[in-house]
Amino acid sequence: MIPIIKPTLDEAEAEAARRVILSGWVTQGPEVAAFESEFATFTGASHATAVSNCTTALHLALLVAGVKPGDEVVTVSHSYIATANAVAYCGATPIFVDIDPATYNIDPALIEQALSARTSAILVVHQMGLPCDMAAVAGIAKAKGLPLIEDAACASGSELLWDDQWEKIGKVHGDVACFSFHPRKILSTGDGGMLTTKHAAWDAKFKMLRQHGMSVPDTVRHGSAQVIFETHPVLGYNYRMTDIQAAVGREQLKRLPGIVARRRVLASRYVELLGDAQWLGLVREPSYARTNWQSFCVRLPDAADQRAVMQAMLDAGVATRRGIMCAHREDFYASQPLCMPLPESEAAQDHTIVLPLYPQMTDEDQQKVASNLIEATRL
Ligand SMILES: *Cc1c(COP(=O)(O)O)cnc(C)c1O
């Protein structure tokens, strides 16, 4: 059986977790601080805050950007539901913009018509690891004076061409970027998340809000020779990452460049193997983006039955996943009026599948995936 993904975790991560477990300090502490600083260095961001997952990262990003009940946040429906849910947690309404079918990312040309007097932020997604057209989106955000948040859940190690330089996603090309370390993404701490930002004041708020709104971090209280009484001046949350997770994350971060390089080789091999099957639609990187290929997505011919193709591949020992979901088709959002039709988002959900991709894959594995896909979709 060829699975959809395999996490790259071994003795190094196990040893890191063991070291923390035996150290006497297991929750957010020195390992979290070290992971934050290393992640900031890796992305080129000035500040990083580790949290429990990307959904909580998005919630904090929106809150600190000033999103309040009754506001609107312009985003995509075509994303994992956590993107829209984080907006709803703030009491705000996600306003869904359609995607560009070539990249599965927000279509910047459609953003203006989604803006209203109630819009308080723009939340873009680097879907499946492919950076969205940040230059276009940032231009709009700047012109309208709106904060720009990046859902970079899938985009650890992806790169963006910015002022003629390749920069890491997370260097922060908007105001704040949010990452996921769930095992379905390519750097994993079991569960986990990270916010990077260029604003020192925002970073300080993230660090306070993730820890119950507490005025002093417990590492400071613990290390102080004076008795410290903490206060809780704002409504906070428990969105902490543990030191056990952070120690695993530090090992994963060391591997990340190698993992991304390997995924890029595997993705080009898929392009070779599937190149002759002209009825399949493959993603081409736009000139401004280098993806980490968190997901390798293929568009099936319109006439193909997505479920039948996936079943035929499963029967042949190849796991696949349906393309990215649409939040507006789920019950919680279905009754909300749309500001525009979303034909490309819906078509992407209905006519794409995601192929297995993980560093341990052999060429034989890839040939098996490709030949079964061609077989299952040939008309
Ligand atoms: C996975 C994912 C999330 C949620 O990440 P968690 O760490 O599981 O909370 C949010 N947005 C996108 C685009 C994702 O792919």
Side-chain angles (χ1 to χ4, degrees), residues 218-230:
D218 49 8
T219 40
V220 171
R221 188 180 51 189
H222 179 78
S224 173
Q226 252 84 54
V227 170
I228 296 181
F229 287 170
E230 70 281 8

Side-chain angles (χ1 to χ4, degrees), residues 150-225:
E150 299 168 63
D151 179 342
C154 303
S156 295
S158 297
E159 295 180 328
L160 181 71
L161 192 62
W162 193 256
D163 293 336
D164 290 329
Q165 305 260 26
W166 285 103
E167 295 186 345
K168 291 277 182 330
I169 290 296
K171 170 103 191 284
V172 189
H173 303 94
D175 293 283
V176 45
C178 303
F179 294 86
S180 172
F181 306 136
H182 182 272
R184 178 66 185 84
K185 324 295 180 183
I186 66 176
L187 182 169
S188 183
T189 57
D191 254 313
M194 188 76 77
L195 299 115
T196 60
T197 180
K198 50 184 159 199
H199 310 303
W202 288 32
D203 188 63
K205 286 186 187 169
F206 299 148
K207 290 193 162 75
M208 195 175 193
L209 290 174
R210 72 169 168 187
Q211 165 89 334
H212 303 288
M214 227 165 100
S215 57
V216 283
D218 49 8
T219 40
V220 171
R221 188 180 51 189
H222 179 78
S224 173

Side-chain angles (χ1 to χ4, degrees), residues 24 57 78 80 85 91 95 193 250 261 267 296 299 309 330 335 344 373:
H78 180 261
Y80 186 57
N85 284 353
I95 302 297
R250 294 177 70 192
F296 191 91
R299 183 178 295 260
V309 169
E330 299 292 326
S335 58
E344 298 298 350
L373 177 61

Side-chain angles (χ1 to χ4, degrees), residues 52-58 76 78-84 124-129 151-155 178-185 190-194 294 324:
S52 48
N53 55 63
C54 184
T55 310
T56 55
L58 289 166
V76 285
H78 180 261
S79 182
Y80 186 57
I81 198 161
T83 310
V124 293
V125 181
H126 304 306
Q127 197 50 265
M128 298 182 275
D151 179 342
C154 303
C178 303
F179 294 86
S180 172
F181 306 136
H182 182 272
R184 178 66 185 84
K185 324 295 180 183
D191 254 313
M194 188 76 77
Q294 182 265 343
I324 304 298

Side-chain angles (χ1 to χ4, degrees), residues 309 312-313 316-318 367-377:
V309 169
M313 293 188 68
V318 177
Q367 289 182 39
K368 177 173 169 184
V369 174
S371 59
N372 278 291
L373 177 61
I374 290 171
E375 192 54 41
T377 54

